[in-house]
Amino acid sequence: MANAKQLQAIVEAILFSAGEPLEISRISQAIDVEDELTQQILMNLGAELDERNSGICLLKLGDKYQLSTRSKYGDYIRKVLEVKKNAPLSQAAFEVLAVVAYNQPVTKAFIEQVRGVDCSGVIATLCQKKLIEEKGRLELPGRPLVYGTTPDFLRCFSFTSLEDLPELPSNEETDRQLSFDTNEEGLPEKSEETQEENSAEE
């Protein structure tokens, strides 16, 4: 069996080659050690990269790990690779992303009922940017797709997990827009207050 330094070098090579976040279990299987040891190796690797001010850092994305360049060197990297800066997200995109992040998994119909407008284009854009993705289908007539956030979403907003999402402001309007119970069709449930308002209007 390789010694600790060799194992760390192997893990670094695996993460570099993968180019995407990897679960600890996959890394453990590759180097034939227990998950606890892999966790320690990853911690040591991350600390070493930070200690020597490497241009590479180790990111923890939920229960996965990935090697990445440090964001402060992004401008230099773009100059070499001639990568154009991504267009900033629109206000509509941020709103849809918030609805998905705080209520996932959600259907397109849920998002549109919360926002009150068609969201097909915005959802497609967020999927293209890999900030949200399809998470499966509901066992309902028509089997609608459900969406959730991705590891790229966590990385872009510097979160390690969804638990890092900031708490929503404590006001009624925000609560009604971003946090709903859903009915059997995957749509937001109307509150008793809303139902009473509708009855009064009728």
Side-chain angles (χ1 to χ4, degrees):
M1 180 179 174
N3 61 38
K5 275 295 181 184
Q6 290 172 326
L7 285 174
Q8 182 173 310
I10 293 170
V11 169
E12 184 175 6
I14 289 172
L15 290 171
F16 178 83
S17 301
E20 63 181 11
L22 294 179
E23 300 92 342
I24 286 181
S25 58
R26 288 184 63 187
I27 301 172
S28 298
Q29 185 177 13
I31 61 178
D32 195 25
V33 301
E34 297 295 325
D35 288 352
E36 290 77 10
L37 179 54
T38 302
Q39 178 76 56
Q40 186 59 53
I41 292 171
L42 288 165
M43 291 177 61
N44 292 342
L45 174 59
E48 182 179 303
L49 292 172
D50 291 341
E51 185 177 347
R52 59 185 174 89
N53 293 318
S54 172
I56 304 296
C57 63
L58 182 65
L59 297 180
K60 185 177 186 296
L61 305 169
D63 60 348
K64 300 180 181 181
Y65 288 83
Q66 180 180 19
L67 284 180
S68 174
T69 55
R70 295 189 189 275
S71 58
K72 62 182 178 181
Y73 301 129
D75 288 340
Y76 301 101
I77 296 169
R78 279 187 284 271
K79 288 178 182 178
V80 173
L81 300 180
E82 297 181 352
V83 177
K84 295 181 180 179
K85 289 185 177 180
N86 290 328
L89 292 178
S90 65
Q91 180 63 34
F94 273 116
E95 290 175 4
V96 170
L97 193 55
V99 172
V100 174
Y102 283 96
N103 297 278
Q104 61 187 304
V106 294
T107 62
K108 174 175 174 287
F110 177 97
I111 298 169
E112 291 177 344
Q113 187 152 334
V114 172
R115 297 196 65 242
V117 295
D118 178 79
C119 297
S120 301
V122 179
I123 291 173
T125 297
L126 292 173
C127 286
Q128 185 178 24
K129 291 179 177 293
K130 298 183 178 180
L131 294 174
I132 65 173
E133 64 184 0
E134 296 174 3
K135 295 290 188 179
R137 293 180 179 272
L138 289 181
E139 294 298 328
L140 295 171
R143 302 200 64 213
L145 287 166
V146 291
Y147 296 90
T149 54
T150 66
D152 281 352
F153 165 80
L154 296 177
R155 182 173 60 186
C156 287
F157 290 91
S158 300
F159 297 148
T160 59
S161 72
L162 292 175
E163 294 179 357
D164 293 335
L165 284 169
E167 291 187 8
L168 292 173
S170 181
N171 67 69
E172 183 179 352
E173 184 62 26
T174 301
D175 291 343
R176 292 178 65 180
Q177 287 183 348
L178 297 181
S179 184
F180 288 85
D181 291 328
T182 58
N183 60 23
E184 293 180 353
E185 297 178 350
L187 297 175
E189 285 278 21
K190 291 183 178 179
S191 66
E192 293 182 3
E193 179 182 344
T194 303
Q195 291 174 346
E196 290 175 359
E197 290 175 357
N198 291 343
S199 297
E201 291 175 0
E202 293 174 358

